[in-house]
């Protein structure tokens, strides 16, 4: 079938046709030239039952086209409805990416109209009856400073929170404010979050292979657009092999970070996810950690921060929770910590900024 490219604003109007099998949608988002070069819209879609091709955020610098079938989208929406019950949905996320797209799909499957609101959550207005909304941690962090937004969010029966790791203190504070939060874990390749509050949704199976998370179910994607080798490395039947590490704690999945978060510095393994969590505990949302090549250490941990504290302060404060090798060895000031549309730290942008400064 021919690929229909569109803008994110066109997705709500075209999605019913895609779910009915009359077209295959491909939203073109933040980087249209790169995305179109990857999508190759002049070539047909060969995956059976394909409905939508969503682009990853490209935080690694190499965007991928994730082919989602009608079967997968329906399975993901129906499993969330089994967990929540029928809901009216408010959309505050870009519909060109999977988190916003799935809000539309869930509403369509439930036979409900979607309410759209601003990404800053300033104009939320739940519909009569039961309501749900999907947001990212950055939106929650900013909402905590705005009492009127918190009051609006508290009117929702379920607030799906995903797209990036969330600080534990932020989560507790938000729950104390009366927010009905549900933390979600998933990715574009699984039609968004398929593990809620550490528990797989109905029809989803989670397995750990030497700590690596594998996700199995009908919500699995069909393949990467025009990339069979990459597909074979990630997808086996209906099982998605992730790049994330996890463990079971009291019967719930805890995501520890990415497999490639572990770097070797001075001959010692350093888990960047652990370092990031320790940094976030001191100053949530202000800083990010990356590892850069270094002649002495092999890889060294660098902290990029909007906060005023100097490197000595950070090293002193972090010494209680991190080993000596994991402590930041350099500090770079930045005006803002760049994030992807899903709220994840954009490490590619950060590394690019560091290289520019070095030049």
């Amino acid at each position: 079938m021919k690929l229909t490219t569109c803008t994110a604003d066109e997705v709500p109007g075209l999605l019913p046709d895609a779910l009915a099998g009359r077209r295959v949608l491909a939203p073109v988002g933040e980087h249209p030239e790169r995305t179109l070069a990857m999508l190759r819209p002049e070539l047909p879609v060969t995956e059976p039952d394909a409905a939508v091709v969503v682009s990853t955020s490209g935080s690694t610098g190499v965007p991928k086209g994730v082919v989602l079938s009608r079967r997968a989208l329906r399975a993901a929406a129906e499993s969330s409805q089994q967990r929540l019950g029928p809901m009216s949905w408010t959309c505050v996320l870009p519909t060109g990416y999977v988190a916003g797209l799935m809000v539309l799909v869930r509403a369509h499957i439930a036979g409900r109209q979607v309410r759209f609101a601003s990404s800053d959550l300033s104009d939320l207005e739940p519909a009569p009856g039961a309501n749900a909304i999907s947001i990212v941690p950055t939106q929650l962090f900013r909402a905590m400073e705005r009492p009127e937004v918190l009051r609006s969010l508290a009117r929702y029966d379920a607030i799906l929170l995903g797209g990036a790791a969330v600080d534990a203190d932020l989560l507790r504070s938000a729950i104390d404010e009366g927010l009905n939060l549900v933390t979600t874990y998933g990715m574009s390749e699984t039609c968004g979050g398929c593990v809620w509050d550490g528990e797989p949704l109905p029809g989803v199976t989670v397995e750990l292979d030497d700590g690596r998370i594998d996700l199995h179910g009908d919500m699995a994607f069909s393949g990467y657009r025009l990339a069979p080798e990459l597909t074979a490395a990630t997808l086996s039947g209906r099982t998605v092999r992730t790049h994330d590490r996890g463990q079971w704690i009291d019967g719930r999945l805890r995501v520890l970070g990415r497999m490639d978060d572990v770097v070797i510095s001075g001959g010692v393994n350093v888990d960047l996810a652990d370092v990031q969590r320790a940094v976030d505990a001191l100053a949530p949302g202000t800083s990010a950690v990356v590892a850069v090549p270094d002649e002495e250490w092999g890889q060294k941990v660098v902290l990029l921060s909007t906060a005023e504290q100097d490197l000595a302060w950070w090293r002193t404060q972090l010494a209680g929770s991190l080993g000596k090798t994991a402590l930041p060895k350099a500090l770079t000031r930045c005006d803002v910590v760049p994030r992807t549309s899903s709220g994840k730290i954009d490490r590619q942008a950060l590394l690019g900024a560091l290289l520019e400064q070095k030049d």
Side-chain angles (χ1 to χ4, degrees):
M1 187 175 289
K2 184 179 179 181
L3 196 62
T4 301
T5 58
C6 64
T7 66
D9 291 340
E10 294 173 314
V11 172
L14 296 173
L15 182 62
D17 274 357
L19 293 175
R22 291 189 287 268
R23 67 172 77 238
V24 181
L25 283 186
V28 178
E30 296 175 339
H31 308 287
E33 291 185 2
R34 272 195 317 179
T35 302
L36 288 171
M38 174 272 296
L39 288 173
R40 298 286 301 278
E42 72 277 9
L43 299 179
V45 180
T46 59
E47 288 83 359
D49 198 38
V52 182
V53 181
V54 294
S55 299
T56 59
S57 61
S59 61
T60 61
V62 184
K64 301 185 292 290
V66 178
V67 182
L68 302 176
S69 68
R70 290 183 293 161
R71 171 186 176 182
L73 291 168
R74 181 173 290 275
E78 289 178 346
S79 65
S80 64
Q81 186 166 298
Q82 288 182 54
R83 181 67 62 88
L84 292 177
M87 291 274 176
S88 294
W89 287 86
T90 299
C91 184
V92 295
L93 297 172
T95 56
Y97 295 111
V98 74
L101 175 74
M102 285 310 302
V103 170
L104 305 183
V105 176
R106 295 184 192 111
H108 180 85
I109 296 301
R112 305 289 180 90
Q113 291 292 320
V114 177
R115 294 196 170 200
F116 291 89
S118 302
S119 60
D120 66 2
L121 313 182
S122 61
D123 54 352
L124 297 179
E125 186 57 45
N131 282 268
I133 188 172
S134 184
I135 65 174
V136 298
T138 301
Q139 290 171 308
L140 178 63
F141 178 79
R142 294 170 180 171
M144 293 297 292
E145 300 176 349
R146 303 175 64 187
E148 71 281 4
V149 173
L150 287 178
R151 287 192 294 269
S152 296
L153 280 173
R155 297 169 60 190
Y156 284 84
D157 300 272
I159 303 169
L160 305 189
L161 181 65
V166 58
D167 178 74
D169 289 337
L170 173 63
L171 187 63
R172 282 191 292 269
S173 297
I175 292 173
D176 289 343
E177 291 288 343
L179 302 191
N180 300 307
L181 291 171
V182 179
T183 59
T184 70
Y185 167 70
M187 56 212 68
S188 299
E189 291 85 344
T190 60
C191 295
C194 60
V195 179
W196 290 10
D197 286 338
E199 297 182 352
L201 288 175
V204 177
T205 302
V206 177
E207 295 182 354
L208 299 183
D209 181 7
D210 287 333
R212 183 191 293 265
I213 300 172
D214 290 343
L215 301 171
H216 175 85
D218 284 344
M219 78 300 163
F221 75 129
S222 300
Y224 293 113
R225 171 75 170 160
L226 304 175
E229 292 183 0
L230 183 59
T231 298
T234 306
L235 182 66
S236 176
R238 306 300 295 175
T239 298
V240 178
R241 186 167 173 79
T242 79
H243 293 282
D244 297 322
R245 297 174 292 121
Q247 64 180 166
W248 294 107
I249 298 179
D250 297 329
R252 294 178 184 268
L253 178 68
R254 181 184 178 190
V255 181
L256 301 176
R258 290 181 60 82
M259 299 296 292
D260 54 11
D261 276 341
V262 178
V263 299
I264 300 176
S265 182
V268 177
N269 287 346
V270 174
D271 189 336
L272 294 180
D274 281 346
V275 181
Q276 186 67 58
R277 280 190 286 269
V279 166
D280 287 340
L282 291 174
T286 67
S287 310
V289 293
V290 297
V292 299
D294 182 77
E295 291 184 0
E296 179 182 1
W297 297 94
Q299 295 274 321
K300 72 175 181 180
V301 178
V302 176
L303 179 68
L304 296 99
S305 181
T306 63
E308 297 179 354
Q309 291 86 353
D310 61 15
L311 180 62
W313 181 90
W314 281 103
R315 287 177 60 87
T316 299
Q317 296 299 317
L318 292 169
S321 55
L322 297 175
K324 184 177 180 180
T325 307
L327 296 176
K329 295 178 175 63
L331 171 68
T332 297
R333 302 287 183 191
C334 57
D335 294 330
V336 64
V337 176
R339 295 181 182 273
T340 67
S341 60
S342 63
K344 296 178 182 178
I345 294 173
D346 191 338
R347 299 192 185 279
Q348 187 69 22
L350 288 171
L351 288 170
L354 283 175
L355 291 175
E356 285 182 7
Q357 290 182 9
K358 183 177 291 187
D359 294 340

